Amino acid sequence: MNSQVSPIAFRLTRGADLKQSILASIHANAIQAGCVASVVGCLSTLSLRLADGHSVVTLEGAYEIITVSGTLTPDHVHLHLSAADREGKMIGGHLMEGSIVSHTAEVCLLSFPAMAFTRAFDEDTGYTELVVN
């Protein structure tokens, strides 16, 4: 098996949508299979789908990004984010569009050129799930 990995790194500035920017980088770099290595920065708006799979919470304020993890396909990013508010209280969930960078976000992605990730509907979960090729 080819274990080649290609890193991609970029910095987002105030006003960028974190999820949409990661998807744009996937397209710009022709990533067919990848993952998030690291994201550090701050958000002024945080939008997350919660663990029940339906509820979305959108919060305004100062949020420090603690972690972002996920898989990257050409048409879909599956990202989970945890963040801390001004008091250090944590919240996390499935990253949604509308999570806006307040100052900066430093993004490091990994691409796996020898692989292809797609998603297919899984009747058991009710979601499109990762398919690895």
Side-chain angles (χ1 to χ4, degrees):
M1 173 182 236
N2 186 338
S3 61
Q4 181 182 0
V5 176
S6 297
I8 295 102
F10 54 96
R11 178 177 171 256
L12 300 174
T13 56
R14 186 181 318 271
D17 183 296
L18 181 58
K19 185 174 182 179
Q20 289 179 354
S21 297
I22 291 172
L23 188 55
S25 179
I26 291 166
H27 294 151
N29 291 284
I31 297 172
Q32 297 300 305
C35 71
V36 174
S38 174
V39 179
V40 266
C42 302
L43 300 171
S44 59
T45 304
L46 175 60
S47 186
L48 300 170
R49 189 181 73 220
L50 303 178
D52 67 5
H54 304 287
S55 301
V56 175
V57 61
T58 300
L59 304 168
E60 302 286 333
Y63 290 91
E64 188 79 24
I65 298 168
I66 304 303
T67 66
V68 178
S69 61
T71 52
L72 312 174
T73 70
D75 299 317
H76 182 84
V77 292
H78 184 187
L79 303 172
H80 289 187
L81 178 141
S82 61
D85 68 12
R86 291 180 185 265
E87 297 174 357
K89 293 179 185 168
M90 298 286 293
I91 187 168
H94 182 92
L95 180 65
M96 302 296 289
E97 288 84 5
S99 294
I100 305 301
V101 173
S102 63
H103 295 86
T104 191
E106 302 163 3
V107 180
C108 298
L109 308 177
L110 298 175
S111 175
F112 310 114
M115 302 175 81
F117 291 170
T118 58
R119 301 196 76 82
F121 183 76
D122 182 316
E123 289 184 23
D124 187 47
T125 67
Y127 293 100
T128 57
E129 302 294 354
L130 185 68
V131 177
V132 179
N133 297 302

